[in-house]
Amino acid sequence: MRNKDFISIHDLTIEEINRIFELTKEMKSNPKKFSNSLEGKILALIFEKPSLRTRVSFEVGIRQLGGDAIYLAPSDIQMGKRESVYDVGKTLERMVDAIMIRTFAHKIVLELARAVKIPVINGLTDLLHPCQAMADYFTMIEKKGDLKKLKVVFIGDGNNVCHSLMFGAAKLGVNFWAVTPKGYEPKREIYQLAIEDAKLTGAKINIINDPTEGIKDADVVYTDVWASMGQEAEAEIRKKIFQPYQVNQELFSLAKPDAIFMHCLPAHRGEEVTDDVIDSPNSVVFEEAENRLHVQKAIMYELMKDR
Ligand code: CP
Ligand code: NVA
């Protein structure tokens, strides 16, 4: 990869994205071939927010490649409080080979990446969740084939997951719809950048507020929690505002009959999605979760193999 870091899908070329997908496919079907490919490499995992999938998939992933991981909990290093982001980075780069970070402000990841010579991987910020979107598009290819033929609908909050899916759609030529309540649309600056990429690939990026119009004839229906980590205080008010955007059987039936349902998880069952949809045969949420492991192994390999 041209870049030292993996911070946003917007930074990648289409060739780099496709290379990651090809490698993911190979690693998923033949994991043994890569079992020593990052031998002796150590990945530091900085978590300032909770996690199940991201933590487990990175820890298992680096071990499956022959390396190891160190988990640093929010209370351990207290980045920015106990010491500066810069000092944390400069210390870690003396001891580990790469850093994965999950934090609040996106600028913390940028600052850390600037400070260190080793690769930095974005494991979620308030703005973006690029590893998730890479696993999601890989899952869509597995399930549906040609991404350029798909109507992909993200319904709910125009959040970090929505932003990364939008960036991915723009790079991959997808017909992407973000369907949100008024005032909860994806950020303007993300949309503007996506539109620039879309001009090169023929992707269509739509943002609307009407859930029934948005979901009509969708091939992929994707949702996420209405209040993300850090927005807990807004959860009650958001429940009322987002109710018409709940992916229940009635709304989901407006998508194509063979549409797949996706969710990055964790899901708040009974809020953004009902059990009858997330547990239906159309739901691929656990395959999607598994693909976090495979796609991140490919990302780590690409970033760390020659270092
Ligand atoms: N989807 C996802 O990133 O899950 P975690 O928050 O459990 O890591
Ligand atoms: N939008 C959610 C995603 C969790 C994986 C959050 O940021 O909490």
Side-chain angles (χ1 to χ4, degrees), residues 66-295:
D68 210 342
I70 298 168
Y71 171 70
L72 299 162
S75 55
D76 288 339
I77 57 174
Q78 301 171 40
M79 224 172 33
K81 245 189 253 145
R82 188 163 178 270
E83 57 191 312
S84 69
V85 173
Y86 180 87
D87 290 353
V88 169
K90 292 314 261 183
T91 304
L92 282 176
E93 76 175 350
R94 302 259 167 169
M95 303 176 196
V96 304
D97 301 284
I99 302 170
M100 190 248 49
I101 175 165
R102 164 170 289 192
T103 187
F104 292 88
H106 190 69
K107 65 174 197 287
I108 293 174
V109 177
L110 299 176
E111 187 184 343
L112 181 68
R114 264 198 311 275
V116 299
K117 292 186 193 72
I118 57 176
V120 171
I121 301 173
N122 179 0
L124 180 148
T125 64
D126 291 345
L127 191 69
L128 298 174
H129 196 1
C131 295
Q132 181 69 52
M134 289 295 287
D136 297 336
Y137 283 113
F138 182 79
T139 309
M140 289 181 221
I141 294 170
E142 283 189 319
K143 295 285 166 195
K144 292 275 168 200
D146 188 358
L147 293 177
K148 289 200 159 83
K149 297 201 173 115
L150 302 182
K151 177 177 180 183
V152 176
V153 178
F154 178 95
I155 180 161
D157 184 25
N159 62 15
N160 44 9
V161 171
C162 177
H163 289 155
S164 284
L165 286 169
M166 187 182 281
F167 274 161
K171 294 274 179 189
L172 293 161
V174 173
N175 177 15
F176 181 83
W177 294 65
V179 185
T180 76
K182 269 204 175 19
Y184 293 88
E185 292 90 353
K187 281 196 190 306
R188 196 83 204 154
E189 75 243 33
I190 300 288
Y191 173 73
Q192 299 290 6
L193 291 171
I195 284 295
E196 287 306 309
D197 282 341
K199 281 182 195 153
L200 306 172
T201 61
K204 294 196 176 62
I205 310 291
N206 311 277
I207 301 176
I208 63 165
N209 302 120
D210 180 348
T212 51
E213 191 195 334
I215 210 166
K216 208 167 139 255
D217 296 327
D219 297 283
V220 177
V221 177
Y222 197 121
T223 192
D224 183 13
V225 291
W226 292 336
S228 285
M229 293 179 275
Q231 296 174 330
E232 288 77 10
E234 293 174 39
E236 283 313 308
I237 169 114
R238 281 173 175 251
K239 265 187 210 169
K240 293 195 188 79
I241 295 169
F242 282 82
Q243 195 55 46
Y245 298 79
Q246 179 187 68
V247 183
N248 49 40
Q249 199 47 57
E250 192 187 337
L251 191 63
F252 191 66
S253 69
L254 301 176
K256 286 195 184 146
D258 63 349
I260 55 172
F261 172 75
M262 300 183 78
H263 192 309
C264 56
L265 305 177
H268 292 169
R269 288 167 176 258
E271 291 181 27
E272 75 274 5
V273 62
T274 51
D275 287 343
D276 52 1
V277 173
I278 196 170
D279 294 329
S280 75
N282 301 60
S283 171
V284 300
V285 297
F286 298 114
E287 280 135 299
E288 188 185 349
E290 181 191 326
N291 281 334
R292 291 290 302 279
L293 170 68
H294 305 298
V295 94

